Amino acid sequence: MQANLKEVTIKKLKERGVSITSIAEITYQIQKKYSDYTVEDYENFILEILEKREVTHAVLTGIAIDEAVEKGIFSPEISEVINRDEPLYGIDEILVFSILNIYGSIAYTNFGFVDKEKTGIIRELDERGHNNPDQCHTFLDDIVGALAAAAASKSAHKQQR
Amino acid sequence: MQANLKEVTIKKLKERGVSITSIAEITYQIQKKYSDYTVEDYENFILEILEKREVTHAVLTGIAIDEAVEKGIFSPEISEVINRDEPLYGIDEILVFSILNIYGSIAYTNFGFVDKEKTGIIRELDERGHNNPDQCHTFLDDIVGALAAAAASKSAHKQQR
Amino acid sequence: MQANLKEVTIKKLKERGVSITSIAEITYQIQKKYSDYTVEDYENFILEILEKREVTHAVLTGIAIDEAVEKGIFSPEISEVINRDEPLYGIDEILVFSILNIYGSIAYTNFGFVDKEKTGIIRELDERGHNNPDQCHTFLDDIVGALAAAAASKSAHKQQR
Amino acid sequence: MQANLKEVTIKKLKERGVSITSIAEITYQIQKKYSDYTVEDYENFILEILEKREVTHAVLTGIAIDEAVEKGIFSPEISEVINRDEPLYGIDEILVFSILNIYGSIAYTNFGFVDKEKTGIIRELDERGHNNPDQCHTFLDDIVGALAAAAASKSAHKQQR
């Protein structure tokens, strides 16, 4: 069942334009100064992270919200706020806290960094969302940042043990 | 605009079967040992809490998810998990952290208490969700608990200052 | 090294009047309605939880603060606030979030519950702190609650998997 | 009383080598692309932030821990971990969550950014801590980052309202 949720999650990410490799590349960018791990190593860390039920729940819920906004299913008052990804809308960040919490403070600071720098695919998602009125990636860009940050934290913990 | 979000939120809560009074009654239950505030006082605290953009965003997003699950709009894998409110599904609790965070540690402990005790309308929502396969209140019961707990915290802070 | 921190932590808890059994008894109290685990089972869960570096760091830091307050080492302005465990002092709760975060939302709600009910040894610590001006357990009572709540969450996850 | 805690906190920060201006300069660095506020404006935001009891409690507790480590008061097992600011020691970051929580998700991402970039006085504190075995700023550098990030968030909220 859990294995199943993992497969569903990977497929869903792909459908929304995000490969595991593109997430691993973000982790590689932020960690290359401190570590010898390769993009492939980070892919494996991300695949392990996706074993966790809390993680797949967060990813699938977040993408479901983005899709509901695209399809015009939510009431207009909240849809509009989400779709514009207003700076004061913080539910997307709160949702990925359920991923970051598991991986501790290193995950938090790395998430803050890639969220502000908009590293790699995060910038692409951001631009796609802004340039296409029918696309919403408000939750997805934070999900990608959180997975990349979790992989950075996981690799740091592994090196120390 | 913010005033508008507040009105929309109160109306939406009512539509889903939750009055401001029913939330204030929970706060009254958990605070009556420590405080002389009345149900009406807590109603006023809750109305002040609903002035905050982070709060209305959380309430409207949570209810939108419940409604999407009821309408069968989300993909079946995640819909099923949300609808059963699996003990290991924690996104509903995480979402209301965006409310609890603002009101500090007293809000957290009170939320934990009412969530476990299922005080007042929380129990009703829980039963309605379990007895009617076409109703989903997975996010709403946590939203109600968080608003009640935030009002308890607000009243405690007021008494001390 | 990590094993060492675990032993140091267990010894320190004992020095401050808290046995692993007394923590396990809290978990048993709050879980007996839902589960067949015994006090001894919860002791084992708690011992596993104390393998985690984040957990031992939180326990040792919290107890170090309590001891510094008792010895009059901190500056009077903050010592006084901590020693009275003012309702608005929330750093003790925040510190144990580093334990609760790892064990998810079930840990949070159980922590809120035992913190408010003051189950078992938590009440004793609370009273000892209030009745003896030279004892401070402001951080310790939250640490005990968090460890008990983490064990409850760990057992719930185990049953589901 | 609260006013008093604020004055005590400002004095304590100064004693540890941190002026309000040096914190405001970090906020200015990270916000200058998005905003016309001056260093002086950010100083005023920080002074307002220091009105909050949760904030002064966090600052004073964190500095008290740093000082206790410097004076060799804590037990050696935890002192050593704090003094080296081990990457896996996350209690310093958790403590400042009590500041960041109040200021929402913008505060979190900015904190992550300055913590990783080590902007301005944060780098100085970091180096001072590493080069002087008798100085410990493990908590202080996160406190400074959190105050700077809170001011960034406060200014963003003000612009939108």
Side-chain angles (χ1 to χ4, degrees), chain A residues 108-124:
Chain A
Y108 270 97
T109 52
N110 279 302
F111 173 72
F113 184 80
V114 299
D115 188 73
K116 215 165 154 67
E117 287 286 279
K118 303 207 176 300
T119 316
I121 181 99
I122 297 176
R123 183 169 303 277
E124 272 179 57

Side-chain angles (χ1 to χ4, degrees), chain A residues 1 4-5 8 12 53-54 56-58 60-61 64-65 67-68 71 73-75 77-78 80-82 84 86 88-91 94-98 101 139, chain B residues 1 4-5 8 12 53-54 56-58 60-61 64-65 67-68 71 73-75 77-78 80-82 84 86 88-91 94-98 101 139:
Chain A
M1 160 95 197
N4 191 14
L5 268 187
V8 170
K12 201 67 175 166
R53 218 182 282 222
E54 295 89 339
T56 52
H57 287 168
L60 291 175
T61 305
I65 298 173
E67 291 181 330
K71 290 179 196 153
I73 281 156
F74 282 177
S75 65
E77 295 86 3
I78 191 65
E80 206 189 311
V81 169
I82 300 177
R84 276 182 290 138
E86 281 192 14
L88 302 185
Y89 184 74
I91 307 298
I94 274 285
L95 184 132
V96 300
F97 279 20
S98 63
N101 278 342
F139 281 79
Chain B
M1 161 93 198
N4 190 15
L5 267 188
V8 170
K12 202 66 174 168
R53 216 181 285 223
E54 295 89 338
T56 53
H57 286 168
L60 292 175
T61 305
I65 298 173
E67 290 181 331
K71 291 180 194 151
I73 281 155
F74 283 177
S75 65
E77 294 85 3
I78 190 64
E80 206 189 311
V81 169
I82 300 176
R84 276 182 290 139
E86 281 192 15
L88 302 185
Y89 184 74
I91 307 298
I94 274 286
L95 182 132
V96 301
F97 279 20
S98 63
N101 278 343
F139 281 78

Side-chain angles (χ1 to χ4, degrees), chain C residues 53-89:
Chain C
R53 216 181 285 223
E54 295 88 339
V55 174
T56 53
H57 286 167
V59 176
L60 292 175
T61 304
I63 293 178
I65 298 173
D66 281 346
E67 291 182 329
V69 170
E70 287 181 357
K71 292 180 194 152
I73 281 156
F74 283 178
S75 65
E77 295 85 2
I78 190 65
S79 255
E80 207 189 310
V81 169
I82 299 177
N83 204 13
R84 275 183 290 141
D85 197 3
E86 281 192 15
L88 302 185
Y89 184 74

